[in-house]
Amino acid sequence: MPLDGVVVADFSRVLAGPLACVNLADLGATVIKVERPGSGDDTRGWGPPWTEHSSSYFECANRSKQSVVLDLGDPDDQVLARELACRADVLVENFRSGALGRRGLDYESVRVGNPGIVYCSVSGFGGDADLPGYDFLVQAMGGLMSVTGPEDGEPAKVGVALVDVLAAKDATIGILAALRAREKTGRGQRVEVNLLSSLLGSMANQASSYLTTGRAPRRMGNSHPSIAPYETLRCKDDVLALACGNDGQFRRLAEVLGVPELADDERFATNAERVRNRPELRAALEQQFAADTVDSWAARLTEVGVPAGPVGDLADGFKLAESLGLAPTVPVGDAPPQVRHPIGYSDTPVARYTAPPRLGQHSDEIRRWLAEEKK
């Protein structure tokens, strides 16, 4: 595996940091998760749903790790924690600013004894901001909710802690880049990731629109600000997801619907005109879609290369992936199955998945290892 031999000290909790460490574990790193006595990671108590030993929330972000219980307020355990930091190649943490410094576990302290350490700090709004870094708060304050939800309704959060997930991917990228740089220089470095910057960096065309015009984009439901038709449209039985990305696709759509003249209508002949005349376009299309079912239209449109499909739930998403041969889940010991690592590798496929650890499951062996003199 690409990261065989890399030791990761996971001092993070909840989602963004732990997910980044799962990515590293999938790639072969040995990840040692440091948890507080008694309750461990906050998410062990975030249920339902519950698993046999924990919560499904905890288990989604902590497979293939080892768990050691250390009380960072205890002087003896602080010594072990600092020893772990000295032996690790990577340290990931998301403590509030200054909390680890009081325990000799901040970057400046750790790199004195371990100049090769890649020290990744994950925060909500940057290390010095005195704001709690919860995904929902960042979605609200950072602007994601302002473009999510119905046009005439309230702002809505995304249905998963998306900013945490994006920050985890950014942290993984940063850690891998720093490990690569260390191969050249022999020196580690601090990698800083914050949820707000990850959110803004992921807003892509919406952020570019604001920076170009000075006007903040607005909620548009399932419509696209720059493409039409690119939305859900009502059929006889349900709504169809339609993604027409160019004029050729729109012409084929019009032909399948039995109204080829729409493609030559000056209101709809180009994408810019379709965006400008979206309400009229939507009405014209839904008048035709009302004659048949979602599945029927999806099949007919797909056959001619127009992207269209039903709006499914998560169960449908897994079924689709299975039908396409993507094998979306993997067994992880005696725990419920998990989502497979999403990247394929021709030479080094991810082949090792182990169950998320029970609290302190590996404490004895890790404590013995940390107490041993380095060889």
Side-chain angles (χ1 to χ4, degrees), residues 155-231:
K157 72 178 182 66
V158 180
V160 70
L162 182 63
V163 185
D164 273 329
V165 176
L166 293 168
K169 291 183 179 291
D170 285 345
T172 305
I173 293 168
I175 290 166
L176 294 177
L179 287 173
R180 174 65 176 134
R182 190 179 70 173
E183 293 178 4
K184 299 179 180 179
T185 67
R187 299 189 305 275
Q189 61 183 296
R190 187 174 185 183
V191 175
E192 295 185 81
V193 175
N194 68 79
L195 273 61
L196 179 58
S197 292
S198 289
L199 183 155
L200 295 176
S202 72
M203 293 299 283
N205 59 299
Q206 295 282 43
S208 182
S209 173
Y210 164 69
L211 294 174
T212 299
T213 67
R215 296 189 300 272
R218 57 186 176 83
R219 294 186 301 284
M220 298 182 64
N222 290 323
S223 297
H224 193 287
S226 305
I227 311 172
Y230 199 100
E231 57 195 296

Side-chain angles (χ1 to χ4, degrees), residues 72-85:
L72 298 185
D74 178 84
D76 292 334
D77 278 6
Q78 285 181 23
V79 171
L80 294 177
R82 289 193 290 269
E83 182 62 25
L84 173 60

